[in-house]
Amino acid sequence: MIREYKKIDTSKILYIINDASLKYKDIIPKDCWHEPYMSERELTNELNKGVRMYGYLDKKQLIGVIGIQKVKEVILIRHAYTLTSHQGKGVGSTLLEYLLNKNKNFRLLVGTWKNAKWAIRFYKKFGFILHSEDETNLLLKKYWEIPSKQIKNSVVLERY
């Protein structure tokens, strides 16, 4: 079952994000990695900026999350993570399909680490197109609030 999660669910959402993000530990620059990967304060700030989080509940346990954020004329896909123990079982696909169906009339963008090849393959499987480095830099600066070091190590994919 998929439903929207709120600020009251912060600890559950953080558990998913920080468990799943360990997969990124050795593929992103050391100075971009920190533990926990996302703090409660960071998540609260994201929610205050309009990020809406959706979660996949299985047998009364939250096992995957995905967020969206409307910025200007686009929808950003934010913070898509599945518990390590449930990865590769269709949870992420189900969450993404849910958001794609809810946002059919919008331009959708997703950013990820350029060395996260599995994430890039995942989004391409759903029809997302990988932008060039120049276009990625422009899009990241226009729609995201991230440090320049992260911009240099990220890619943007888009689905029209």
Side-chain angles (χ1 to χ4, degrees):
M1 176 175 92
I2 297 174
R3 73 170 179 86
E4 187 170 358
Y5 283 74
K6 303 289 185 183
K7 285 182 191 173
I8 195 167
D9 304 301
T10 298
S11 62
K12 294 175 187 173
I13 296 167
L14 282 174
Y15 180 76
I16 306 284
I17 291 172
N18 289 321
D19 171 75
S21 67
L22 292 174
K23 190 171 186 176
Y24 293 89
K25 186 175 184 176
D26 294 324
I27 64 107
I28 64 174
K30 300 257 186 260
D31 56 350
C32 292
W33 176 260
H34 46 86
E35 290 189 42
Y37 187 69
M38 181 176 278
S39 69
E40 183 175 349
R41 184 177 187 195
E42 289 172 299
L43 180 57
T44 300
N45 286 341
E46 292 285 287
L47 296 171
N48 288 338
K49 291 178 187 174
V51 174
R52 296 175 60 196
M53 296 299 296
Y54 294 84
Y56 185 104
L57 198 64
D58 182 51
K59 298 176 187 163
K60 298 183 181 181
Q61 180 189 13
L62 182 62
I63 61 172
V65 295
I66 193 168
I68 58 168
Q69 182 180 22
K70 180 134 175 40
V71 177
K72 300 176 183 174
E73 73 285 356
V74 303
I75 299 284
L76 304 179
I77 296 174
R78 308 289 312 275
H79 315 303
Y81 295 97
T82 300
L83 277 178
T84 304
S85 59
H86 288 81
Q87 290 176 0
K89 298 178 183 176
V91 174
S93 295
T94 301
L95 283 165
L96 183 56
E97 287 171 349
Y98 177 81
L99 288 187
L100 292 175
N101 286 332
K102 283 184 67 91
N103 296 284
K104 287 180 182 176
N105 299 323
F106 289 95
R107 180 178 171 204
L108 298 165
L109 300 173
V110 61
T112 191
W113 297 99
K114 70 171 61 169
N115 290 333
K117 303 300 182 198
W118 69 90
I120 294 167
R121 279 192 307 273
F122 174 77
Y123 289 107
K124 282 183 168 182
K125 184 173 76 171
F126 287 90
F128 283 79
I129 308 292
L130 183 63
H131 278 289
S132 70
E133 186 175 342
D134 288 342
E135 187 65 19
T136 286
N137 291 337
L138 291 171
L139 292 168
L140 288 170
K141 289 173 184 171
K142 183 174 182 177
Y143 297 111
W144 279 267
E145 294 176 18
I146 59 175
S148 58
K149 180 75 172 179
Q150 189 172 344
I151 289 173
K152 288 194 292 192
N153 290 284
S154 295
V155 295
V156 172
L157 295 99
E158 180 168 3
R159 181 168 154 160
Y160 300 93

